[in-house]
Amino acid sequence: MNRPMRTRRQATLASLAAELGVSRTTVSNAYNRPDQLSPELRRRVLETARRLGYPGPDPVARSLRTRKAGAVGLLLTENLSYAFRDPAAVGVLEGLALACEDAGVGLQLVPASPGREDVAAVHRAGVDGFVVYSVPDDDPHLAAVMSRPVPTVIIDQPQLDGIDRVGPDDAAATEQIADHLVGLGHRQVGVLCMRLARDRNDGFAPVDRQQEAHYHVQRTRLATLAKKFASVGVEWSAVPVVERFEHTVDDGASAARELLDANPHVTALICTSDILALGALAEAGRRGLRVPADITVTGFDGVAEATRAGLTTVHQPVLEKGKAAGKLLLSAGDRVAPKVITLPTELRVGTTSAPPRTAEERWFGP
Amino acid sequence: MNRPMRTRRQATLASLAAELGVSRTTVSNAYNRPDQLSPELRRRVLETARRLGYPGPDPVARSLRTRKAGAVGLLLTENLSYAFRDPAAVGVLEGLALACEDAGVGLQLVPASPGREDVAAVHRAGVDGFVVYSVPDDDPHLAAVMSRPVPTVIIDQPQLDGIDRVGPDDAAATEQIADHLVGLGHRQVGVLCMRLARDRNDGFAPVDRQQEAHYHVQRTRLATLAKKFASVGVEWSAVPVVERFEHTVDDGASAARELLDANPHVTALICTSDILALGALAEAGRRGLRVPADITVTGFDGVAEATRAGLTTVHQPVLEKGKAAGKLLLSAGDRVAPKVITLPTELRVGTTSAPPRTAEERWFGP
DNA sequence: AATGGCTTCTGAACCGTTACGGTTTGTTCA
DNA sequence: TGAACAAACCGTAACGGTTCAGAAGCCATT
């Protein structure tokens, strides 16, 4: 405790009313509807409140009565650090926070611990709605949110029956980058991707694991890459895909190392996030591979760091994504049918992609 | 609305009890104290709940009765984008979120819009305590938080009477960097700082504005620099200090430009944040100034980007700062006296600081 | 047969507020 | 002079739970 402990029970609206000899309604009005009572009485109420140390109507009691919590909940991935370390996630968070601020409602981060399946926090959260971001399809927290009788918006998740959704067209975005690489002539590619399921698997991900991935975004991107490259004759099951549970630049680098050690002839590293791609660039540098002359590296998301590094990537408006989700949630109730917002993506060709070296060049230099 | 609208009024604990022909207490116990009723009855309760679409006890009503909201509020600077763009702030946020997750409580970002002095959101937030971070001393939201009868912890603020506080020893940290620069021989220095008050002033900040700064951290850092440099004979009022309202790399660059245009003989740019320092580095590069041969640049905070850039800076454990604040808040009540946690700082000499060039070198090259 | 100790369930009080539909008082105006 | 109306204030009934001190029933012990 860090404030001078009030010796007796906190003053309440009722005790204040009693002290003043007015009804509780009047005190309530003094705070909420100044036009409902004379300025003089209001002044007296407020002054007595100050004298008695009454801090104003209790927010929780008010919420109960008005059936408005004045906050929305955000459920995000099991790993909190991920959300704060990934610039794309921070962008979404910021956009969401901005939308909430605009509307004057709070944004509550709901704890969703990974280990203990402690869904209770979801039930305990006093919020008027939920935004769900980057959660695996089978996460029990997601199910818990769905069981709450409040509006919900999901970001970057597969379409759920009757639920608002915000996200880019991941398949189209992936096609853009795939077309770019195919057009440049790359056929021997490798992929670095983020975690595919809730269990840890730092290493190669076989095709079945790719197809069964619980993270919608990763699943879609991999599936689209597979389709695109298969269409130009690449046997996808032979394409190395390295997965990382954690999502850091260092993990991107180690994934690139693992992939290149086993597949030195790869001409392009396709990364399902910019962060991983930045790591791949670092690893390429360490190996003395020039980018893009010796190897092409591409990312995903188009975060500021990637732009600065000249990374070829697909940009998506992460801030807008969060904002749109917030607005959607806060305008629920106006609608009757669920709404889906698809955000535009844009291929940004940087300085990290080029045609592959020919076999000759590879042996004898350019 | 995005869920099949329940045609009639939501089921409540009472209606469920009535349906089952048991008391409300028993239904409540089915959810909160499974050991208080027979497994068989509990099963029936839960099953009937499912059938009736009862989502479990209402969080707000529960909060009212138990007097626990299960969330803590975070009040941060007027500018939300700042909090998400500054890696140091994100670190604090992450630490705080981790502490909250550990304790299973939510973390609610309380909207504190800059323009409209809408303090209502602070009063409306159903939280068990507040963390206040990086808010100007005279912000009305801060006053509003103080008026709420809940524990509060402040980060990076001046000591407030009877309030827990977490922060580095900014004065000591600043002395470290000042001593380093003085030791190298720098006497002609310039300073880039963040906003000093709530009004915008992009430009030089005279001494009185520095002294009256409403942001505690900035005020302390400037005051300590002034003291240190004065002690070696530098006339502080002649030292150029450029202020920026926004806190971005670009603003750091433009501030450096403004300062160097007016004071080309400056040998060291002291920045009160790493972000500004990164901008200063960029501007130095644009001018063809070599760092540290031609000019020394230092930062503050020790964020990852700064380390990567080899910036000389004072590191402070931002993640720990947030964590400590969270733990402190969540353990309030155990204590009776307010607690102050001072975090260690560490001078990290990178590759951006060196002795100043002599006048000769400046004219004729090294 | 009385006593004590479980387990299981209940009744009533309470948490602090706002919504709703009034009543009272005073002023205006035909 | 009295009808009409606005301003100011009030009483009651929720809002949806949790909690605590028992009551009822049952069994084992003394």
Side-chain angles (χ1 to χ4, degrees):
Chain A
M1 210 53 85
N2 51 17
R3 206 76 54 79
M5 193 70 157
R6 320 211 183 279
T7 47
R8 292 157 334 117
R9 194 59 154 288
Q10 265 295 330
T12 71
L13 186 143
S15 66
L16 184 54
E19 171 86 12
L20 280 157
V22 301
S23 77
R24 307 214 296 286
T25 303
T26 299
V27 178
S28 176
N29 283 337
Y31 285 94
N32 304 314
R33 306 174 160 184
D35 57 316
Q36 295 290 305
L37 73 172
S38 65
E40 161 58 15
L41 178 55
R42 181 169 133 93
R43 199 194 51 68
R44 265 181 58 217
V45 171
L46 265 33
E47 200 223 288
T48 310
R50 193 151 353 104
R51 185 163 57 76
L52 263 52
Y54 176 65
D58 180 283
V60 175
R62 187 210 299 261
S63 289
L64 174 60
R65 186 64 244 235
T66 59
R67 320 193 59 57
K68 293 225 122 299
V72 304
L74 171 60
L75 184 72
L76 37 71
T77 188
E78 311 160 53
N79 194 333
L80 248 186
S81 293
Y82 158 78
F84 287 103
R85 304 249 208 246
D86 180 9
V90 171
V92 170
L93 204 56
E94 182 186 346
L96 189 52
L98 286 172
C100 289
E101 182 168 57
D102 266 359
V105 307
L107 175 61
Q108 179 167 334
L109 277 51
V110 177
S113 324
R116 44 169 174 155
E117 313 265 294
D118 190 8
V119 156
V122 173
H123 287 120
R124 228 174 280 271
V127 296
D128 298 321
F130 280 97
V131 173
V132 177
Y133 174 54
S134 177
V135 165
D137 308 350
D138 60 343
D139 191 305
H141 296 93
L142 176 55
V145 165
M146 303 293 301
S147 78
R148 293 265 318 247
V150 293
T152 300
V153 175
I154 56 181
I155 305 181
D156 289 2
Q157 302 277 120
Q159 187 64 49
L160 246 49
D161 196 40
I163 298 285
D164 291 341
R165 174 182 191 278
V166 173
D169 184 341
D170 265 303
T174 309
E175 283 184 12
Q176 293 176 59
I177 205 110
D179 284 342
H180 174 62
L181 293 172
V182 166
L184 287 173
H186 291 278
R187 293 297 181 275
Q188 304 216 46
V189 300
V191 178
L192 309 187
C193 70
M194 291 162 61
R195 71 169 75 160
L196 298 179
R198 299 168 67 203
D199 65 307
R200 187 175 200 116
N201 171 42
D202 286 319
F204 288 90
V207 172
D208 58 342
R209 185 175 171 89
Q210 297 173 31
Q211 288 169 346
E212 288 159 16
H214 284 306
Y215 287 89
H216 172 254
V217 171
Q218 299 298 309
R219 188 175 59 233
T220 306
R221 292 183 183 173
L222 290 172
T224 308
L225 287 174
K227 198 185 71 185
K228 270 288 167 183
F229 279 95
S231 76
V232 293
V234 172
E235 171 64 29
W236 187 257
S237 62
V239 171
V241 175
V242 172
E243 174 182 351
R244 279 293 178 272
F245 191 76
E246 300 293 344
H247 185 232
T248 66
V249 173
D250 285 346
D251 282 288
S254 83
R257 188 175 323 126
E258 186 173 350
L259 196 149
L260 291 173
D261 280 349
N263 308 76
H265 294 325
V266 155
T267 63
L269 283 178
I270 309 172
C271 308
T272 64
S273 88
D274 285 346
I275 295 293
L276 294 177
L278 290 174
L281 286 179
E283 174 61 16
R286 253 190 299 270
R287 301 186 158 238
L289 293 172
R290 289 161 306 166
V291 177
D294 297 326
I295 194 165
T296 281
V297 174
T298 66
F300 240 111
D301 291 343
V303 304
E305 282 90 327
T307 307
R308 245 175 266 149
L311 188 69
T312 293
T313 187
V314 186
H315 174 264
Q316 61 166 309
V318 287
L319 192 94
E320 299 312 319
K321 198 159 68 171
K323 258 192 194 163
K327 284 190 183 151
L328 210 53
L329 185 62
L330 293 166
S331 70
D334 302 353
R335 261 163 295 123
V336 69
K339 202 164 163 185
V340 173
I341 295 184
T342 302
L343 293 122
T345 57
E346 180 199 346
L347 177 67
R348 292 198 175 162
V349 178
T351 57
T352 64
S353 55
R357 305 180 70 182
T358 62
E360 271 170 60
E361 284 172 349
R362 200 174 297 138
W363 293 118
F364 306 111
Chain B
M1 206 55 83
N2 51 19
R3 206 78 54 79
M5 192 69 157
R6 321 213 180 279
T7 46
R8 290 156 338 115
R9 195 56 155 287
Q10 265 295 331
T12 73
L13 186 142
S15 67
L16 185 53
E19 171 86 13
L20 281 156
V22 302
S23 75
R24 311 214 304 286
T25 302
T26 298
V27 178
S28 176
N29 283 337
Y31 285 95
N32 304 314
R33 306 176 164 185
D35 58 316
Q36 295 292 304
L37 72 172
S38 65
E40 161 58 16
L41 179 55
R42 181 170 134 93
R43 199 194 51 68
R44 264 181 57 217
V45 172
L46 264 34
E47 200 224 289
T48 309
R50 195 153 349 108
R51 185 162 56 75
L52 263 53
Y54 176 64
D58 180 281
V60 175
R62 188 210 298 261
S63 289
L64 174 60
R65 183 62 238 233
T66 60
R67 320 197 58 58
K68 292 231 128 297
V72 305
L74 171 60
L75 184 72
L76 37 70
T77 187
E78 312 160 51
N79 193 332
L80 249 185
S81 294
Y82 158 79
F84 287 103
R85 306 250 207 244
D86 181 8
V90 171
V92 171
L93 204 56
E94 181 186 346
L96 189 53
L98 286 172
C100 289
E101 182 168 57
D102 266 359
V105 307
L107 174 61
Q108 179 167 336
L109 276 51
V110 177
S113 325
R116 45 171 173 154
E117 312 265 291
D118 190 9
V119 156
V122 173
H123 287 118
R124 229 173 280 268
V127 295
D128 299 321
F130 280 97
V131 172
V132 177
Y133 174 55
S134 178
V135 164
D137 308 350
D138 60 343
D139 191 306
H141 296 93
L142 176 55
V145 165
M146 303 294 300
S147 79
R148 293 262 323 243
V150 293
T152 301
V153 175
I154 56 180
I155 305 181
D156 289 0
Q157 302 278 119
Q159 188 63 50
L160 246 46
D161 197 40
I163 298 285
D164 291 341
R165 174 183 190 276
V166 173
D169 184 341
D170 265 303
T174 309
E175 283 185 12
Q176 294 177 57
I177 204 109
D179 284 342
H180 174 63
L181 292 172
V182 166
L184 287 173
H186 290 279
R187 293 298 181 274
Q188 304 216 46
V189 300
V191 178
L192 309 187
C193 70
M194 292 161 61
R195 70 169 75 160
L196 298 179
R198 299 166 67 204
D199 64 306
R200 187 175 200 119
N201 171 42
D202 288 318
F204 289 90
V207 172
D208 58 342
R209 186 175 170 89
Q210 297 173 31
Q211 289 170 345
E212 287 158 16
H214 284 306
Y215 287 89
H216 173 255
V217 170
Q218 300 297 308
R219 190 175 59 233
T220 306
R221 292 183 183 172
L222 289 173
T224 307
L225 287 174
K227 197 185 72 184
K228 269 289 169 183
F229 278 93
S231 76
V232 294
V234 173
E235 171 64 29
W236 187 256
S237 61
V239 170
V241 175
V242 172
E243 174 183 351
R244 278 295 178 271
F245 191 75
E246 299 294 342
H247 185 231
T248 67
V249 173
D250 285 346
D251 282 289
S254 84
R257 187 175 324 126
E258 186 173 351
L259 195 149
L260 290 173
D261 281 349
N263 307 77
H265 294 325
V266 156
T267 62
L269 283 179
I270 310 172
C271 307
T272 64
S273 88
D274 285 346
I275 295 294
L276 295 178
L278 291 175
L281 287 179
E283 173 61 16
R286 254 189 299 269
R287 302 187 158 236
L289 292 173
R290 289 161 306 167
V291 177
D294 297 327
I295 194 164
T296 281
V297 174
T298 66
F300 240 111
D301 292 342
V303 304
E305 282 91 327
T307 307
R308 245 176 265 148
L311 188 69
T312 293
T313 187
V314 187
H315 174 264
Q316 61 166 310
V318 287
L319 192 94
E320 299 311 320
K321 200 159 67 171
K323 259 192 192 163
K327 285 191 181 149
L328 209 54
L329 185 62
L330 293 165
S331 70
D334 302 353
R335 262 164 293 122
V336 70
K339 202 164 165 186
V340 173
I341 295 184
T342 302
L343 293 124
T345 57
E346 180 199 346
L347 176 67
R348 293 198 175 160
V349 177
T351 56
T352 64
S353 56
R357 306 180 69 182
T358 62
E360 271 170 63
E361 283 171 350
R362 201 173 298 139
W363 294 118
F364 307 111

